[in-house]
Amino acid sequence: MSLRRAIARVSQATSPLRKTSARDQKLIGSYPVPPEAHIWWANRSQVPGGEIKQTFSHFQQKIMWQWLHNMPARWYWRLSAWAWPVGVPCLTMYIFVYKSCEADVEAGIRGKAWY
């Protein structure tokens, strides 16, 4: 594909579908802007009272509630699904193999030590 066709294709993709009509572009009237609006506009990234007030929309609440509400059930399901195939053999090996070896070593040390 030639470079000219590629540029034309990009400009077609990024251009708006239709231009706003002149009737909709025309100003309807003049709107009075108070002089202190310049200060508000200049400080638009600042918080007037010094404190930040965050809002939590009902959409966020709905999403987060479902996530938090389902979390214990999800983890219970994950852990219970792995309990018998992984958890019980690991616990059995820990109790019967590791602890018995540890007890044997302790008994051997106690049998040889004089103090």
Side-chain angles (χ1 to χ4, degrees):
M1 179 171 22
S2 68
L3 184 61
R4 202 173 351 183
R5 278 182 60 198
I7 292 171
R9 200 175 264 190
V10 168
S11 64
Q12 284 176 356
T14 57
S15 64
L17 294 177
R18 62 182 73 83
K19 191 174 183 297
T20 307
S21 65
R23 179 181 67 87
D24 292 335
Q25 284 181 349
K26 191 169 45 177
L27 279 174
I28 298 174
S30 63
Y31 303 100
V33 178
E36 66 268 12
H38 168 71
I39 297 170
W40 285 102
W41 180 254
N43 295 329
R44 64 187 178 272
S45 60
Q46 304 296 322
V47 180
E51 75 275 3
I52 297 174
K53 297 192 175 183
Q54 293 179 337
T55 57
F56 195 49
S57 73
H58 59 282
F59 297 112
Q60 290 170 317
Q61 287 176 9
K62 184 176 179 184
I63 292 167
M64 291 304 293
W65 167 256
Q66 288 177 351
W67 186 76
L68 286 170
H69 183 71
N70 288 335
M71 191 165 31
R74 274 201 313 262
W75 279 104
Y76 178 78
W77 174 257
R78 289 174 187 164
L79 294 175
S80 64
W82 284 92
W84 278 105
V86 175
V88 172
C90 288
L91 190 64
T92 306
M93 291 292 289
Y94 175 76
I95 291 171
F96 288 109
V97 176
Y98 178 74
K99 285 296 181 181
S100 64
C101 288
E102 201 175 54
D104 289 345
V105 169
E106 184 72 23
I109 291 173
R110 285 184 192 272
K112 294 182 181 70
W114 58 270
Y115 52 90

